[in-house]
Amino acid sequence: MNLLLIGSGGREHAIAWKLAQNPKVNTIYCAPGNGGTSRENKCKNVNITEMDELVKFAKENSIDLTVVGPEEPLTKGIVNIFKENGLRIFGPSKEGAILEGSKAFSKEFMKKYGVKTAEYEVFSDENKALEYIDGREFPLVIKADGLAAGKGVIICNTLEEGRAAIEELMTSDNFKEAGKTIVVEEFLEGVEASILSITDGETIIPFISAKDHKQILDDNKGPNTGGMGVICPNPYVNDDIMKIFEKDIMNPTLNGIKKEKMDFVGIIFFGLMITKRGVYLLEYNVRMGDPETQGVLSLMKSDLLELIEKALEKDLKNAEVQWENKSACVVIGASLGYPGSYEKNKEISIGDIGESKVFMAGVKDEGNRLLTSGGRVLALVSKAETLDLARKMCYNNIQNVKFENIYYRRDIGIAK
């Protein structure tokens, strides 16, 4: 089989690495890929990002299956276009991808189908939003409606912070169209959990749980990022929590997908908040999370390509996902300045990292050198019999991964 994998992040490097393990796979074309996929087994980068060019490439290179990594092409309808051209592709249609593409739509969907979520209001008028928060208790959560690369969620502790957040989202240039509509939500106190899952539109199979660490600084301080590290399984997600999640969130979501006839064959990611009052859904993603993917796929014993093919055949009811009885710790190495303006073109060297694995993200391959090109540069993944051992291994080995001014959090797996 020849596969086409769309995307350029650490998530896509991890997906490529996992797909390459299937003996049927001949070549995985990564479009555009990164400095990690350029050196990964069976992988070849192709510098294509435009949708019509991707369709043309798939036809001309006898691509058997296309897998979509990031959210943006999904929300723009790449799955619809590939299917119209008779090409096999894994991911939700544009109609399904709106669950991530619009937070306002997804909150209305949750309300309509009884998915447990925080109380909220939606605003497209800045003055009405400002008037609304004037009489509310803080903290509040204010979210951009559209895609904002994981940075469109602001927790506001005071009225002044709330006003500033509304102005930043709705009138500044930082968020453009994504912030023209906003969602104002009650603040939920608890522990976050990420549940990636696969669906064929008839069945959802949840993957092993994960815990992301979103903020840039230790002790969960500083601005949000795309994610600075992950542990899995999430120690706060036990069997009881999973049962509650399935009853209050997963099953009503599946019911809604069916009722809305969304043509949703792909990954659905549930961002949860575990509180004293129960388990709430914060958001949907319609693709694998980053860096959750790097940890989750490292623990997956099952073959990812076989799972994807079962989903495409609408046969997930007969599938079972097997997991290693281990824990994984993922630490992100970032460029100095991220999530603001950051340094680039620093040479990366990787020494002895034992049995750990490095997944590249913001990295370009220039001949015999790997250079930094993004804010989140790479993820080091270690797995062991216990979380404590996985953490120790990860932090021990990341000392041998070097580029000038590398930055990483020191408390992944410890911070609540």
Side-chain angles (χ1 to χ4, degrees):
M1 289 179 76
N2 290 323
L3 309 181
L4 176 60
L5 173 61
I6 295 168
S8 62
R11 160 185 52 220
E12 285 75 36
H13 186 185
I15 293 169
W17 164 81
K18 186 67 178 167
L19 289 171
Q21 293 169 14
N22 185 298
K24 289 192 299 186
V25 172
N26 179 34
T27 304
I28 303 170
Y29 295 98
C30 302
N34 61 37
T37 55
S38 70
R39 300 183 178 194
E40 192 58 64
N41 182 36
K42 299 185 183 179
C43 293
K44 185 177 180 182
N45 285 358
V46 288
N47 191 21
I48 305 172
T49 54
E50 294 302 317
M51 227 170 291
D52 54 349
E53 290 293 314
L54 290 164
V55 168
K56 186 180 172 196
F57 182 88
K59 286 180 173 177
E60 289 178 354
N61 291 272
S62 304
I63 297 298
D64 298 292
L65 172 65
T66 297
V67 177
V68 188
E71 60 274 23
E72 193 172 344
L74 292 168
T75 59
K76 288 182 174 174
I78 191 169
V79 169
N80 306 57
I81 291 162
F82 265 60
K83 284 183 173 177
E84 284 159 15
N85 281 273
L87 296 164
R88 283 176 90 220
I89 185 165
F90 178 69
S93 65
K94 186 177 184 179
E95 295 73 23
I98 196 172
L99 284 176
E100 178 169 2
S102 168
K103 286 192 169 59
F105 176 91
S106 70
K107 292 294 287 190
E108 293 294 332
F109 175 93
M110 294 173 207
K111 187 176 181 180
K112 183 175 179 181
Y113 291 103
V115 177
K116 192 164 182 175
T117 191
E119 288 181 17
Y120 70 97
E121 292 290 341
V122 176
F123 297 95
S124 298
D125 181 309
E126 185 180 354
N127 290 326
K128 286 185 178 170
L130 289 167
E131 196 178 295
Y132 174 77
I133 68 164
D134 221 358
R136 304 293 294 178
E137 282 187 21
F138 284 81
L140 281 174
V141 183
I142 302 179
K143 300 178 176 180
D145 173 54
L147 299 178
K151 301 180 191 78
V153 177
I154 303 170
I155 296 169
C156 307
N157 291 301
T158 63
L159 180 58
E160 289 69 31
E161 287 179 13
R163 286 172 176 158
I166 289 168
E167 186 179 350
E168 184 185 358
L169 290 172
M170 299 188 87
T171 60
S172 79
D173 255 359
N174 295 348
F175 292 90
K176 299 186 169 54
E177 289 304 310
K180 296 296 180 197
T181 297
I182 62 167
V183 176
V184 181
E185 239 180 44
E186 71 168 316
F187 175 78
L188 296 174
E189 194 164 348
V191 177
E192 287 195 47
S194 304
I195 311 281
L196 282 70
S197 62
I198 188 168
T199 184
D200 57 8
E202 302 291 330
T203 300
I204 297 179
I205 300 179
F207 290 170
I208 200 166
S209 63
K211 186 178 190 314
D212 192 8
H213 298 65
K214 277 266 184 250
Q215 286 166 285
I216 187 69
L217 302 174
D218 285 1
D219 298 323
N220 299 323
K221 293 194 168 118
N224 268 359
T225 69
M228 290 303 295
V230 158
I231 51 168
C232 44
N234 186 325
Y236 296 94
V237 179
N238 55 30
D239 289 345
D240 289 341
I241 295 293
M242 281 303 291
K243 282 175 188 159
I244 295 166
F245 155 70
E246 288 174 13
K247 179 174 79 69
D248 291 347
I249 294 166
M250 189 184 87
N251 293 339
T253 296
L254 182 59
N255 179 45
I257 285 170
K258 289 177 183 174
K259 290 273 175 68
E260 300 283 330
K261 296 184 169 55
M262 278 182 164
D263 184 21
F264 201 122
V265 177
I267 298 294
I268 185 162
F269 168 121
F270 299 91
L272 308 181
M273 183 68 82
I274 303 165
T275 78
K276 288 175 182 172
R277 291 188 288 146
V279 180
Y280 290 78
L281 181 64
L282 298 176
E283 63 176 1
Y284 296 112
N285 292 161
V286 297
R287 38 71 195 183
M288 290 194 182
D290 186 343
E292 288 95 340
T293 302
Q294 293 90 309
V296 168
L297 291 187
S298 295
L299 292 174
M300 184 185 278
K301 281 166 74 174
S302 299
D303 187 282
L304 180 60
L305 181 57
E306 285 179 9
L307 269 179
I308 288 172
E309 293 197 295
K310 274 200 177 290
L312 290 166
E313 290 156 10
K314 300 270 189 185
D315 193 31
L316 280 182
K317 64 182 179 295
N318 293 313
E320 188 185 349
V321 186
Q322 306 263 312
W323 301 96
E324 288 190 51
N325 188 23
K326 290 184 176 179
S327 290
C329 180
V330 183
V331 174
I332 296 291
S335 297
L336 183 67
Y338 177 77
S341 178
Y342 51 80
E343 297 181 343
K344 294 181 182 176
N345 296 311
K346 305 297 183 184
E347 187 168 357
I348 300 163
S349 70
I350 299 173
D352 180 12
I353 57 167
E355 293 179 4
S356 297
K357 171 76 178 173
V358 173
F359 292 113
M360 300 295 179
V363 176
K364 59 185 177 182
D365 190 346
E366 292 207 343
N368 59 352
R369 297 195 309 159
L370 291 175
L371 301 177
T372 66
S373 62
R376 291 190 299 166
V377 175
L378 52 83
L380 185 100
V381 185
S382 301
K383 55 186 183 179
E385 277 64 35
T386 66
L387 174 58
D388 191 46
L389 282 172
R391 281 194 74 258
K392 283 176 181 166
M393 191 188 298
C394 201
Y395 278 107
N396 185 50
N397 288 332
I398 203 166
Q399 294 176 64
N400 297 321
V401 177
K402 295 178 179 167
F403 57 86
E404 189 182 336
N405 295 325
I406 184 172
Y407 169 77
Y408 50 87
R409 280 183 58 165
R410 312 278 170 160
D411 64 345
I412 302 302
I414 294 175
K416 190 175 176 184

